Amino acid sequence: MWYNRVTENLTELPDFLEHYRQELAQARVETIVKGNIERNLAALPGVTEHRFNQLQTVEAVLNYCNIQQRAIKQKHYKKYLEGYGRALSSRDAERYADAEKEVIDMDLVISEISLLRNRYLAIIKGLESKNYMLGHIARLRAAGLEDAIIG
């Protein structure tokens, strides 16, 4: 849903970022190991799948923005290489294109989306750790520690 909205209209990007930041705050709570072990274990696959899908959406939007950034940079590169008043080397044209406001703005957007992606990767790592911990607690219960509640 969000990927299609962003790719059709880049002005949806701030709403996308805000939505996924709010989801990230909720996801942090889901990495906490607390309460009944069975309920935690039962909910974990669904939570992991949901958060991994969100990570994939963020990565898809990041990839789309990278493609857009290359297109913007290429447009400016051609402008400097072909239409500049004096002959420029390809490296000079590339440097001038990199300094264009439109290219820099897209670089900043990509940086922000990359940060969001990295935070989602941290959530996935937290869920993996939770799975590991709950698995070991379940093994302890099977070995005789019957009333284990984490709190």
Side-chain angles (χ1 to χ4, degrees):
M1 175 182 117
W2 274 105
Y3 176 77
N4 293 333
R5 286 174 60 183
V6 170
T7 57
E8 290 170 6
N9 186 0
L10 275 177
T11 60
E12 293 284 335
L13 204 51
D15 294 335
F16 164 80
L17 291 170
E18 183 57 33
H19 172 77
Y20 276 84
R21 282 189 197 111
Q22 290 173 0
E23 288 288 316
L24 193 61
Q26 293 173 358
R28 284 190 181 108
V29 173
E30 295 168 349
T31 61
I32 297 171
V33 178
K34 184 176 182 181
N36 185 282
I37 294 168
E38 286 83 9
R39 272 186 255 139
N40 272 276
L41 281 168
L44 193 58
V47 168
T48 303
E49 183 267 340
H50 177 64
R51 298 306 174 191
F52 189 75
N53 280 338
Q54 288 180 325
L55 171 64
Q56 294 304 304
T57 301
V58 170
E59 286 184 342
V61 169
L62 177 61
N63 190 37
Y64 176 77
C65 288
N66 280 325
I67 291 167
Q68 291 301 311
Q69 189 249 13
R70 286 193 302 268
I72 292 167
K73 189 174 175 180
Q74 185 66 25
K75 176 183 74 170
H76 290 292
Y77 176 78
K78 284 182 180 180
K79 176 182 78 173
Y80 284 112
L81 197 60
E82 296 170 359
Y84 199 65
R86 64 181 182 95
L88 294 175
S89 70
S90 61
R91 182 66 186 136
D92 288 340
E94 185 178 345
R95 284 182 182 169
Y96 286 174
D98 284 341
E100 284 288 329
K101 180 172 177 19
E102 197 176 10
V103 174
I104 291 170
D105 289 344
M106 190 54 88
D107 282 341
L108 294 173
V109 167
I110 288 170
S111 178
E112 195 167 340
I113 297 170
S114 294
L115 177 62
L116 184 66
R117 181 210 46 209
N118 292 341
R119 288 181 175 163
Y120 269 94
L121 286 170
I123 292 297
I124 296 299
K125 284 292 204 187
L127 291 172
E128 288 172 0
S129 178
K130 181 178 181 177
N131 182 40
Y132 178 80
M133 290 170 35
L134 288 174
H136 281 80
I137 291 169
R139 286 187 197 100
L140 287 173
R141 286 190 68 186
L145 187 62
E146 293 297 324
D147 58 348
I149 293 181
I150 300 164

